[in-house]
């Protein structure tokens, strides 16, 4: 039984460490970042309303796309007092951008200001090209 558990844990850990696929020069590549304190997870959920199997990135064809991401973050002192621990938030943010270009890299940043999440999409020149247009928080 112990050997079976060890193999199961090793398999799960190996699955989490699979390399990203190669960048396709005919597609646009979207990476993620959570630069603000408390940002825990920013993960791809849906592309053009289709659920994705790998949430670590978006690779999209040129043109218009709607990206939906999951953003988990902590709000420090969120219980009404600085003495309480952080409050965790789980939100889904939708970003639409009409001008993805093949071979270009984009950066999607998830940010939070207290309980309010936001997302910005940057091009390779670090210019904001899109911002979230819909935010739904569960927690």
């Amino acid at each position: 039984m112990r050997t079976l558990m060890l193999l199961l844990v090793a398999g799960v850990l190996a699955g989490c460490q699979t390399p990203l696929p190669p960048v396709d020069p005919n597609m646009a590549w979207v990476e993620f970042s959570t630069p603000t304190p408390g940002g825990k997870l920013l993960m791809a959920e849906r592309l053009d309303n289709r659920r994705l199997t790998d949430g670590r990135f978006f690779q999209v064809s040129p043109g218009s796309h709607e990206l939906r991401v999951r953003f988990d973050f902590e709000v420090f002192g969120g219980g009404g007092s600085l003495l309480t621990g952080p409050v965790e938030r789980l939100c889904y943010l939708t970003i639409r951008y009409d001008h993805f270009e093949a071979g270009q890299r984009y950066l999607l940043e998830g940010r939070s200001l207290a309980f309010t999440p936001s997302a910005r999409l940057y091009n390779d020149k670090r210019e904001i090209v899109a911002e979230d247009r819909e935010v739904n928080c569960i927690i």
Side-chain angles (χ1 to χ4, degrees), residues 93-108:
L93 296 93
T94 303
I95 299 93
R96 180 163 192 83
Y97 183 53
D98 294 328
H99 307 288
F100 283 103
E101 296 179 33
Q104 295 298 307
R105 285 187 171 275
Y106 298 85
L107 178 66
L108 182 63

Side-chain angles (χ1 to χ4, degrees), residues 21-40:
V23 176
D24 183 342
N26 299 314
M27 306 282 271
W29 184 273
V30 182
E31 296 178 358
F32 303 129
S33 174
T34 56
T36 55
K40 293 177 70 177

Side-chain angles (χ1 to χ4, degrees), residues 34-115:
T34 56
T36 55
K40 293 177 70 177
L41 173 75
L42 186 62
M43 193 169 147
E45 278 288 318
R46 293 181 177 272
L47 173 62
D48 300 327
N49 210 24
R50 287 187 314 261
R51 183 171 289 283
L52 300 173
T53 57
D54 191 343
R56 298 175 293 170
F57 67 99
F58 284 108
Q59 190 164 243
V60 300
S61 60
S64 179
H65 293 284
E66 184 175 272
L67 314 175
R68 184 168 182 177
V69 294
R70 173 182 172 166
F71 182 37
D72 295 10
F73 62 98
E74 293 180 331
V75 179
F76 300 99
S81 165
L82 293 176
L83 300 176
T84 61
V87 174
E88 293 195 22
R89 300 270 303 182
L90 185 158
C91 300
Y92 293 93
L93 296 93
T94 303
I95 299 93
R96 180 163 192 83
Y97 183 53
D98 294 328
H99 307 288
F100 283 103
E101 296 179 33
Q104 295 298 307
R105 285 187 171 275
Y106 298 85
L107 178 66
L108 182 63
E109 283 189 352
R111 298 174 170 262
S112 62
L113 179 60
F115 282 90

